Amino acid sequence: MAEPRLIEISPVTRVEGHGKVTIHLDAQNRVEEARLHIVEFRGFERFIRGRLLWEVPVIVQRLCGICPVSHHLAAAKAMDMICGVDVLPPTAEKMRRLMHYGQVMQSHGCTSSTSPRRTCCSASARRPSSATSSR
Amino acid sequence: MDVDPSSERNDSDEPTLRIAAICAAYGNDRHRMLDILRDVQEGFRWVSPRSLETVAACTGLSRVQVEGVASFYSFLSLTPKGRITIRLCDDIVDRFAGLAAVAAAFEAELGIRMGETSADGSFSLDYTPCIGMCDQAPAAMINDVVVTRLTPERAASIGSALRAGRLPLEIAVPGHAGLSPAERAAAMVENNIRHAGPVLLGPVPSDAGLRQALELTPTAIIDAIEASGLRGCGGAGFSTGRKWRAAASEPAERRFVFCNADEGEPGTFKDRVLLTERADLMIEGMTIAARAVGAREGLIYLRGEYAYLRDHLEAVLESRRAGGRLGRRIHGIEGFDFDVRLQLGAGAYVCGEEGALISSCEGLPGEPKTRPPYPVNRGYLGFPTLVNNVETFCHAARILGRGADWFRAMGTDRSHGTKLFSVSGDCLNPGVYELAYGLTLAELLTLVGGEDAAAVQVGGPSGTMVDRANFHRRLSFDDLATGGAIIVFSARRNILEIVDYYMSFFVHESCGYCTPCRVGNVFLHKAIGKFRAGLANPEDIDYLRDLSQTIIETSRCGLGMTSPNPILTTLQNFPLVYSALVKSSPDRVRASFDVQSAIEGARRIARRRSTIFDEDYT
Amino acid sequence: MNETRKPRVATVSLAGCFGCHMAILDIDERLVGLMQAVEFDRSPLTDLKTFTRRCDIGIIEGGCCNEENVHVLQDFRRNCDVLIALGQCAIMGGLPAMRNAIMQSDAPLRECLEEAYITGAYIRNTTHQIPNDPALPLLLDRVYPCSEVVEIDYQIPGCAPGGDIIFETLSSILAGRFHGFSRDSFKFD
Amino acid sequence: MSGTGFSFTIDGVAVAAEPGQTIMEAADAAGLYIPRLCDHEGLRHQGGCRVCTVKAGGRSVSACTQPAAPDLVVENETPHLNKLRRDLVEMLFHEGNHLCPICEASGNCELQAMAYRLDMTAPTRFPYLQPSRTLDASHPDIALDTNRCISCGRCIRASQDVDRKGVFGYVGRGIHRRVAVNADDLASTDASIEDAAIAAGTCPVGCIIRKRHGFATPIGERIFDKGPIGHDIEDKRRE
């Protein structure tokens, strides 16, 4: 009978604010619980409060160095809603797509490091950028 | 008499009219801004936004300009203060003399903490830097009244008397009604004259030099002053004769003679004694200077902490006018008119600097002027202004009375005459000593009963911390120069606690005009905090020297040029104090980074110990 | 650097956004030459989590926002001859340091945690608690630049620094002839 | 040189000057750049930032206020003086919140450009004071982030002497001294974007901000992308 064990997988890629996963095994080596921990908590949600509106897209780029454009665009869309812009001028639409494709290219095409990268945490760009809560 | 400060009604309401009346009393003159705001503070216990607008309207300034002055001086407040404002002197001498217990007693008695104002607006409790009572510490100001030699018991009794409605003056000087202003001043604060010398504190004839001076030409007066070798007694030591000659030679239709009675250097109270006992002699010296430089207008800049001397000085001025020695046709000489006005400061050490003093008199924040031009060329309102220390004017009068050679014969070959030393701290006889220049520190310590001293701060915080091995050095301009402050520390005092306080003093008193002093002193103070917390690395000692050098070399006035002295002189004379505290880190990991205190907050939020830095984490 | 063996380089991303590591990849084709000249030891690029041997150069991205960052940074200092602080976060705290000075807040850390986990408008946190797990390193009272925690030898400014300045600085340090940046070659933004 | 003119030297170079001219005025005219932050074209000399410290006749003085004098020997471009200037610029960086990556003034900011010119890249020894003053975005066209203010007073002097409005003023003492507006907030003053005090270039940093103009100039076309601070003055000599 094995002792209850804890497996730690760290760091987890594809998410900024580095993360790690802990898997809790019971005495029979069965997974009792798995947790995702975001270790580098930042607090963007709080410290952008009180800043100037047009600074936010520039601030949130620093949420993730791999997908700054995603966060920039998410903030830009949020500003559109705040400023009541529901129809985007065509040029702006094209620029945003161009920027995003640029990022995808940069993330996939020219990096020759060991493993190809998918644009990370862009999936999380729509959701608030806070860390997933770990139980 | 007080209106509830928080009630703000419309323009023609009663407070606005009264504030307008205050401005009108000073001719709506924006140069009298400090007097106006002092009266507003006294009348309403704060300078409210409404008052700012009213004063601005009356004096033709913008609201933010008035706010600039109101927010500069620590005795003026932009938030409501109590009708009774108690300011405890928190100088290092008071701390060593038991300030903490006295503060606790006041807090207990008045039911408020230091820095707070009671809800009903009756009391405010605060700290304030040196109020010039170091020889009878711990001391405090209750509004304009001074109480000294405080003990917790006395503090409690003062507090309860105040709560019972007794007036501060009644508490400080019981039976004051029957006393003259001079007697009241002497009763409120002891003079502690320990050693009278031949020039100032010994017997002085009533006509001490003015009559003799009036028999000379102005140039001859200046020659006499220059021949006597008299140098400025405020601490700078500039040749008084050369200063008078420069002021006299500058062509202008108006010239001013200012007496610098700011005496803000902690540990200095000799001017307090001269103002109390030799006011006549000082004004005589000012009148002689006016004769020499051709000035018709004079001013005494009295520090706000010495407001208790105001009535006494006004009385002396009045008696001189009555005696024909001040005002019009002095000593019956046609065309020789000279009168003196009293200007009270409001709590700003930097106003001891000539340019800042002049700015303050012009109704501006007390910021030093750009130099050149120097005050003797272009000073108050742009006119040549001679600014000398209280003691300097007293010496000048005696020199004209007894002759330059009599004065020159005393002291040393480059520091002539006598000097008033204000001695305080760990010694048997704190007080004022008038001695000839040139005596050694050891000789002085024997006189004052401080032989077992381990360190002496000569010249206050901007001076030099001298160790026992240097007690042989002489008190003169070319060795241990001092404006008069001699603060004695025994072996049980902590040198870095003293340095920490003095740096906090300079941070509190910097005017903020120039970067090195405004910001650099804050960094020096924080660095001393790291040393005291045992978080300093060896290279932090070089950092202290390097940063001090930058501040001294780029600062715009004397404050910034001397503010690093507490650190530099203790580094030189007490090197072990610093080197014993530094932690070297062979693996170049900074010992100064205190991870335990950095994670303390998170430990409390998470209510658990650190898995990395708490060894006993199971 | 003695020529007998390839210099060993270690890198780590502390309280950063991994942008500076991506900037290292912006060296583009010159990366090939660099890879032949050096050996990467502990680094996210090699996914080695501990030092195999003492390294010549340690490249640090990000300041310290939690106790693990401090521990790792001290570990780097002890295992590398030269430490390079790469990017504004490592040099002066960068964006994460914005939490140090929050307007009208005397408990910035607590307010950030509460906003992110409890009071935020979109939060679905049934526990109504700030996550608190032994695996989570304790957060520091504020974000510290690297030079406050350990002695740093070189700093490459930028957010993120350009590929060129990283390559030129790294090459000149490796060749032992780095004498500072030319005036127009570095930026703080 | 006119009759009353005279000459003195800066780093060995002869510089012509008129009576009443300061060292900096003469140097500017001669195309010799002396670093400065609080001095500004057309405004009174303040001598507050001390970045223009030079050695004149062996004494360290602020070049913007020190009058030139015949045969005065002035040192300007020396390692020691540039070290003092770098310390002062670093003090200003650490007194406020200067986060270049998110600041719209980046590239046009004189404080940043001065840090570039003085090579402020070594690990810092100074602590950060991290003020957290509330932003004033009340005015429809102008925002004030006084956390980036370096207390140079250029806006105060411009508003006082050029606009004659007195919108800005110094309030407080020592490290608490800051620039305040002449009312409860900027919207309650008569400030307008036509004011000299608000004009681009008066505020050297990202404190006085024109709304809706942020990040408009692409990187590469900003003022100091084209050359280090002071190159406009130095170019005068090269002609």
Side-chain angles (χ1 to χ4, degrees), chain C residues 34-58:
Chain C
L34 191 65
M35 295 300 281
Q36 277 143 14
V38 299
E39 245 179 82
F40 274 94
D41 193 276
R42 169 183 182 170
S43 164
L45 307 178
T46 60
D47 211 12
L48 290 176
K49 300 189 177 35
T50 55
F51 284 97
T52 56
R53 276 180 306 248
R54 182 170 182 82
C55 291
D56 301 288
I57 290 181

PDB file of all heavy atoms in Angstrom, chain C residues 34-58:
ATOM      1  N   LEU C  34      24.636  31.474 -31.743  1.00  0.00           N
ATOM      2  CA  LEU C  34      24.699  31.541 -30.277  1.00  0.00           C
ATOM      3  C   LEU C  34      24.585  30.145 -29.685  1.00  0.00           C
ATOM      4  O   LEU C  34      25.329  29.784 -28.767  1.00  0.00           O
ATOM      5  CB  LEU C  34      23.557  32.452 -29.773  1.00  0.00           C
ATOM      6  CG  LEU C  34      23.634  32.855 -28.288  1.00  0.00           C
ATOM      7  CD1 LEU C  34      24.862  33.718 -28.047  1.00  0.00           C
ATOM      8  CD2 LEU C  34      22.374  33.604 -27.869  1.00  0.00           C
ATOM      9  N   MET C  35      23.661  29.340 -30.255  1.00  0.00           N
ATOM     10  CA  MET C  35      23.452  27.994 -29.688  1.00  0.00           C
ATOM     11  C   MET C  35      24.729  27.156 -29.785  1.00  0.00           C
ATOM     12  O   MET C  35      24.992  26.316 -28.933  1.00  0.00           O
ATOM     13  CB  MET C  35      22.324  27.279 -30.458  1.00  0.00           C
ATOM     14  CG  MET C  35      20.958  27.942 -30.300  1.00  0.00           C
ATOM     15  SD  MET C  35      20.404  28.018 -28.588  1.00  0.00           S
ATOM     16  CE  MET C  35      19.807  26.341 -28.376  1.00  0.00           C
ATOM     17  N   GLN C  36      25.503  27.436 -30.851  1.00  0.00           N
ATOM     18  CA  GLN C  36      26.753  26.656 -30.953  1.00  0.00           C
ATOM     19  C   GLN C  36      27.791  27.179 -29.972  1.00  0.00           C
ATOM     20  O   GLN C  36      28.644  26.451 -29.501  1.00  0.00           O
ATOM     21  CB  GLN C  36      27.311  26.735 -32.388  1.00  0.00           C
ATOM     22  CG  GLN C  36      26.664  25.748 -33.343  1.00  0.00           C
ATOM     23  CD  GLN C  36      26.491  26.322 -34.730  1.00  0.00           C
ATOM     24  OE1 GLN C  36      27.100  27.368 -35.041  1.00  0.00           O
ATOM     25  NE2 GLN C  36      25.660  25.680 -35.556  1.00  0.00           N
ATOM     26  N   ALA C  37      27.667  28.460 -29.621  1.00  0.00           N
ATOM     27  CA  ALA C  37      28.730  29.060 -28.779  1.00  0.00           C
ATOM     28  C   ALA C  37      28.484  28.752 -27.295  1.00  0.00           C
ATOM     29  O   ALA C  37      29.411  28.712 -26.499  1.00  0.00           O
ATOM     30  CB  ALA C  37      28.762  30.567 -28.987  1.00  0.00           C
ATOM     31  N   VAL C  38      27.214  28.569 -26.945  1.00  0.00           N
ATOM     32  CA  VAL C  38      26.960  28.388 -25.509  1.00  0.00           C
ATOM     33  C   VAL C  38      26.144  27.115 -25.285  1.00  0.00           C
ATOM     34  O   VAL C  38      25.592  26.537 -26.211  1.00  0.00           O
ATOM     35  CB  VAL C  38      26.149  29.581 -24.919  1.00  0.00           C
ATOM     36  CG1 VAL C  38      26.899  30.883 -25.060  1.00  0.00           C
ATOM     37  CG2 VAL C  38      24.771  29.645 -25.563  1.00  0.00           C
ATOM     38  N   GLU C  39      26.112  26.736 -24.037  1.00  0.00           N
ATOM     39  CA  GLU C  39      25.288  25.599 -23.604  1.00  0.00           C
ATOM     40  C   GLU C  39      24.229  26.165 -22.667  1.00  0.00           C
ATOM     41  O   GLU C  39      24.557  26.894 -21.732  1.00  0.00           O
ATOM     42  CB  GLU C  39      26.153  24.654 -22.778  1.00  0.00           C
ATOM     43  CG  GLU C  39      26.412  23.291 -23.337  1.00  0.00           C
ATOM     44  CD  GLU C  39      27.310  22.539 -22.341  1.00  0.00           C
ATOM     45  OE1 GLU C  39      26.740  22.018 -21.366  1.00  0.00           O
ATOM     46  OE2 GLU C  39      28.534  22.607 -22.502  1.00  0.00           O
ATOM     47  N   PHE C  40      22.985  25.840 -22.917  1.00  0.00           N
ATOM     48  CA  PHE C  40      21.926  26.292 -22.015  1.00  0.00           C
ATOM     49  C   PHE C  40      21.765  25.278 -20.889  1.00  0.00           C
ATOM     50  O   PHE C  40      21.618  24.076 -21.144  1.00  0.00           O
ATOM     51  CB  PHE C  40      20.590  26.457 -22.772  1.00  0.00           C
ATOM     52  CG  PHE C  40      20.474  27.811 -23.421  1.00  0.00           C
ATOM     53  CD1 PHE C  40      20.850  27.989 -24.742  1.00  0.00           C
ATOM     54  CD2 PHE C  40      20.035  28.910 -22.678  1.00  0.00           C
ATOM     55  CE1 PHE C  40      20.771  29.249 -25.326  1.00  0.00           C
ATOM     56  CE2 PHE C  40      19.959  30.177 -23.263  1.00  0.00           C
ATOM     57  CZ  PHE C  40      20.323  30.346 -24.579  1.00  0.00           C
ATOM     58  N   ASP C  41      21.837  25.774 -19.653  1.00  0.00           N
ATOM     59  CA  ASP C  41      21.682  24.867 -18.504  1.00  0.00           C
ATOM     60  C   ASP C  41      20.244  25.032 -18.022  1.00  0.00           C
ATOM     61  O   ASP C  41      19.301  24.852 -18.830  1.00  0.00           O
ATOM     62  CB  ASP C  41      22.727  25.245 -17.434  1.00  0.00           C
ATOM     63  CG  ASP C  41      22.836  24.164 -16.369  1.00  0.00           C
ATOM     64  OD1 ASP C  41      22.026  24.180 -15.416  1.00  0.00           O
ATOM     65  OD2 ASP C  41      23.677  23.256 -16.544  1.00  0.00           O
ATOM     66  N   ARG C  42      20.061  25.412 -16.801  1.00  0.00           N
ATOM     67  CA  ARG C  42      18.699  25.547 -16.252  1.00  0.00           C
ATOM     68  C   ARG C  42      17.996  26.677 -16.975  1.00  0.00           C
ATOM     69  O   ARG C  42      18.463  27.811 -16.954  1.00  0.00           O
ATOM     70  CB  ARG C  42      18.802  25.844 -14.746  1.00  0.00           C
ATOM     71  CG  ARG C  42      17.471  26.270 -14.130  1.00  0.00           C
ATOM     72  CD  ARG C  42      17.643  26.613 -12.651  1.00  0.00           C
ATOM     73  NE  ARG C  42      16.334  26.973 -12.042  1.00  0.00           N
ATOM     74  CZ  ARG C  42      16.168  27.118 -10.731  1.00  0.00           C
ATOM     75  NH1 ARG C  42      17.181  26.923  -9.892  1.00  0.00           N
ATOM     76  NH2 ARG C  42      14.983  27.444 -10.236  1.00  0.00           N
ATOM     77  N   SER C  43      16.864  26.389 -17.628  1.00  0.00           N
ATOM     78  CA  SER C  43      16.152  27.450 -18.356  1.00  0.00           C
ATOM     79  C   SER C  43      14.796  26.930 -18.835  1.00  0.00           C
ATOM     80  O   SER C  43      14.656  25.729 -19.075  1.00  0.00           O
ATOM     81  CB  SER C  43      16.982  27.858 -19.582  1.00  0.00           C
ATOM     82  OG  SER C  43      16.169  28.581 -20.485  1.00  0.00           O
ATOM     83  N   PRO C  44      13.801  27.796 -18.981  1.00  0.00           N
ATOM     84  CA  PRO C  44      12.535  27.353 -19.567  1.00  0.00           C
ATOM     85  C   PRO C  44      12.732  26.805 -20.982  1.00  0.00           C
ATOM     86  O   PRO C  44      11.975  25.953 -21.441  1.00  0.00           O
ATOM     87  CB  PRO C  44      11.689  28.629 -19.607  1.00  0.00           C
ATOM     88  CG  PRO C  44      12.322  29.563 -18.666  1.00  0.00           C
ATOM     89  CD  PRO C  44      13.766  29.202 -18.595  1.00  0.00           C
ATOM     90  N   LEU C  45      13.822  27.285 -21.640  1.00  0.00           N
ATOM     91  CA  LEU C  45      14.046  26.824 -23.024  1.00  0.00           C
ATOM     92  C   LEU C  45      14.448  25.356 -23.031  1.00  0.00           C
ATOM     93  O   LEU C  45      14.144  24.625 -23.978  1.00  0.00           O
ATOM     94  CB  LEU C  45      15.124  27.693 -23.687  1.00  0.00           C
ATOM     95  CG  LEU C  45      14.874  29.223 -23.626  1.00  0.00           C
ATOM     96  CD1 LEU C  45      16.023  29.980 -24.258  1.00  0.00           C
ATOM     97  CD2 LEU C  45      13.546  29.562 -24.305  1.00  0.00           C
ATOM     98  N   THR C  46      15.155  24.933 -21.991  1.00  0.00           N
ATOM     99  CA  THR C  46      15.582  23.513 -21.942  1.00  0.00           C
ATOM    100  C   THR C  46      14.696  22.726 -20.975  1.00  0.00           C
ATOM    101  O   THR C  46      14.854  21.517 -20.831  1.00  0.00           O
ATOM    102  CB  THR C  46      17.034  23.440 -21.411  1.00  0.00           C
ATOM    103  OG1 THR C  46      17.005  24.044 -20.080  1.00  0.00           O
ATOM    104  CG2 THR C  46      17.997  24.207 -22.292  1.00  0.00           C
ATOM    105  N   ASP C  47      13.827  23.451 -20.272  1.00  0.00           N
ATOM    106  CA  ASP C  47      12.949  22.826 -19.271  1.00  0.00           C
ATOM    107  C   ASP C  47      13.717  22.090 -18.170  1.00  0.00           C
ATOM    108  O   ASP C  47      13.180  21.180 -17.533  1.00  0.00           O
ATOM    109  CB  ASP C  47      11.962  21.854 -19.936  1.00  0.00           C
ATOM    110  CG  ASP C  47      10.641  21.814 -19.132  1.00  0.00           C
ATOM    111  OD1 ASP C  47      10.510  22.709 -18.260  1.00  0.00           O
ATOM    112  OD2 ASP C  47       9.839  20.916 -19.325  1.00  0.00           O
ATOM    113  N   LEU C  48      14.974  22.513 -17.947  1.00  0.00           N
ATOM    114  CA  LEU C  48      15.716  21.975 -16.786  1.00  0.00           C
ATOM    115  C   LEU C  48      15.324  22.804 -15.572  1.00  0.00           C
ATOM    116  O   LEU C  48      15.341  24.029 -15.622  1.00  0.00           O
ATOM    117  CB  LEU C  48      17.229  22.084 -17.030  1.00  0.00           C
ATOM    118  CG  LEU C  48      17.816  21.160 -18.076  1.00  0.00           C
ATOM    119  CD1 LEU C  48      19.304  21.457 -18.278  1.00  0.00           C
ATOM    120  CD2 LEU C  48      17.624  19.708 -17.621  1.00  0.00           C
ATOM    121  N   LYS C  49      14.963  22.155 -14.500  1.00  0.00           N
ATOM    122  CA  LYS C  49      14.430  22.890 -13.356  1.00  0.00           C
ATOM    123  C   LYS C  49      15.474  23.180 -12.296  1.00  0.00           C
ATOM    124  O   LYS C  49      15.243  23.926 -11.354  1.00  0.00           O
ATOM    125  CB  LYS C  49      13.262  22.103 -12.754  1.00  0.00           C
ATOM    126  CG  LYS C  49      12.136  21.905 -13.790  1.00  0.00           C
ATOM    127  CD  LYS C  49      10.903  21.334 -13.180  1.00  0.00           C
ATOM    128  CE  LYS C  49       9.777  21.214 -14.189  1.00  0.00           C
ATOM    129  NZ  LYS C  49      10.187  20.878 -15.557  1.00  0.00           N
ATOM    130  N   THR C  50      16.660  22.547 -12.390  1.00  0.00           N
ATOM    131  CA  THR C  50      17.718  22.844 -11.401  1.00  0.00           C
ATOM    132  C   THR C  50      19.046  22.964 -12.146  1.00  0.00           C
ATOM    133  O   THR C  50      19.169  22.539 -13.307  1.00  0.00           O
ATOM    134  CB  THR C  50      17.843  21.690 -10.382  1.00  0.00           C
ATOM    135  OG1 THR C  50      18.069  20.495 -11.159  1.00  0.00           O
ATOM    136  CG2 THR C  50      16.583  21.537  -9.550  1.00  0.00           C
ATOM    137  N   PHE C  51      20.008  23.529 -11.452  1.00  0.00           N
ATOM    138  CA  PHE C  51      21.328  23.714 -12.048  1.00  0.00           C
ATOM    139  C   PHE C  51      22.014  22.353 -12.128  1.00  0.00           C
ATOM    140  O   PHE C  51      22.069  21.628 -11.137  1.00  0.00           O
ATOM    141  CB  PHE C  51      22.178  24.658 -11.192  1.00  0.00           C
ATOM    142  CG  PHE C  51      21.776  26.097 -11.341  1.00  0.00           C
ATOM    143  CD1 PHE C  51      20.923  26.692 -10.419  1.00  0.00           C
ATOM    144  CD2 PHE C  51      22.239  26.849 -12.426  1.00  0.00           C
ATOM    145  CE1 PHE C  51      20.541  28.019 -10.577  1.00  0.00           C
ATOM    146  CE2 PHE C  51      21.842  28.181 -12.564  1.00  0.00           C
ATOM    147  CZ  PHE C  51      20.999  28.755 -11.641  1.00  0.00           C
ATOM    148  N   THR C  52      22.489  21.996 -13.316  1.00  0.00           N
ATOM    149  CA  THR C  52      23.284  20.752 -13.401  1.00  0.00           C
ATOM    150  C   THR C  52      24.716  21.061 -12.966  1.00  0.00           C
ATOM    151  O   THR C  52      25.346  20.302 -12.277  1.00  0.00           O
ATOM    152  CB  THR C  52      23.294  20.245 -14.859  1.00  0.00           C
ATOM    153  OG1 THR C  52      23.790  21.322 -15.664  1.00  0.00           O
ATOM    154  CG2 THR C  52      21.886  19.903 -15.296  1.00  0.00           C
ATOM    155  N   ARG C  53      25.205  22.248 -13.342  1.00  0.00           N
ATOM    156  CA  ARG C  53      26.577  22.655 -12.954  1.00  0.00           C
ATOM    157  C   ARG C  53      26.558  24.163 -12.737  1.00  0.00           C
ATOM    158  O   ARG C  53      25.580  24.858 -13.066  1.00  0.00           O
ATOM    159  CB  ARG C  53      27.565  22.332 -14.092  1.00  0.00           C
ATOM    160  CG  ARG C  53      28.080  20.907 -14.115  1.00  0.00           C
ATOM    161  CD  ARG C  53      29.040  20.760 -15.284  1.00  0.00           C
ATOM    162  NE  ARG C  53      28.369  21.201 -16.524  1.00  0.00           N
ATOM    163  CZ  ARG C  53      28.048  20.365 -17.511  1.00  0.00           C
ATOM    164  NH1 ARG C  53      28.335  19.083 -17.406  1.00  0.00           N
ATOM    165  NH2 ARG C  53      27.430  20.812 -18.592  1.00  0.00           N
ATOM    166  N   ARG C  54      27.690  24.682 -12.216  1.00  0.00           N
ATOM    167  CA  ARG C  54      27.777  26.140 -12.029  1.00  0.00           C
ATOM    168  C   ARG C  54      27.792  26.778 -13.415  1.00  0.00           C
ATOM    169  O   ARG C  54      28.428  26.270 -14.344  1.00  0.00           O
ATOM    170  CB  ARG C  54      29.075  26.496 -11.289  1.00  0.00           C
ATOM    171  CG  ARG C  54      29.185  27.996 -11.024  1.00  0.00           C
ATOM    172  CD  ARG C  54      30.334  28.364 -10.084  1.00  0.00           C
ATOM    173  NE  ARG C  54      30.342  29.817  -9.858  1.00  0.00           N
ATOM    174  CZ  ARG C  54      29.568  30.457  -8.978  1.00  0.00           C
ATOM    175  NH1 ARG C  54      28.675  29.768  -8.277  1.00  0.00           N
ATOM    176  NH2 ARG C  54      29.636  31.772  -8.827  1.00  0.00           N
ATOM    177  N   CYS C  55      27.076  27.870 -13.564  1.00  0.00           N
ATOM    178  CA  CYS C  55      26.970  28.506 -14.879  1.00  0.00           C
ATOM    179  C   CYS C  55      27.786  29.782 -14.929  1.00  0.00           C
ATOM    180  O   CYS C  55      28.099  30.362 -13.878  1.00  0.00           O
ATOM    181  CB  CYS C  55      25.507  28.860 -15.161  1.00  0.00           C
ATOM    182  SG  CYS C  55      24.508  27.386 -15.408  1.00  0.00           S
ATOM    183  N   ASP C  56      28.107  30.183 -16.137  1.00  0.00           N
ATOM    184  CA  ASP C  56      28.885  31.426 -16.296  1.00  0.00           C
ATOM    185  C   ASP C  56      27.952  32.625 -16.256  1.00  0.00           C
ATOM    186  O   ASP C  56      28.242  33.625 -15.618  1.00  0.00           O
ATOM    187  CB  ASP C  56      29.637  31.390 -17.633  1.00  0.00           C
ATOM    188  CG  ASP C  56      30.561  30.172 -17.673  1.00  0.00           C
ATOM    189  OD1 ASP C  56      31.566  30.207 -16.951  1.00  0.00           O
ATOM    190  OD2 ASP C  56      30.204  29.187 -18.347  1.00  0.00           O
ATOM    191  N   ILE C  57      26.814  32.501 -16.979  1.00  0.00           N
ATOM    192  CA  ILE C  57      25.914  33.664 -17.069  1.00  0.00           C
ATOM    193  C   ILE C  57      24.498  33.248 -16.655  1.00  0.00           C
ATOM    194  O   ILE C  57      24.015  32.172 -17.060  1.00  0.00           O
ATOM    195  CB  ILE C  57      25.883  34.213 -18.516  1.00  0.00           C
ATOM    196  CG1 ILE C  57      27.238  34.889 -18.855  1.00  0.00           C
ATOM    197  CG2 ILE C  57      24.764  35.230 -18.696  1.00  0.00           C
ATOM    198  CD1 ILE C  57      27.293  35.476 -20.249  1.00  0.00           C
ATOM    199  N   GLY C  58      23.875  34.056 -15.845  1.00  0.00           N
ATOM    200  CA  GLY C  58      22.469  33.825 -15.484  1.00  0.00           C
ATOM    201  C   GLY C  58      21.648  35.009 -15.975  1.00  0.00           C
ATOM    202  O   GLY C  58      21.983  36.159 -15.662  1.00  0.00           O
TER     203      GLY C  58
END
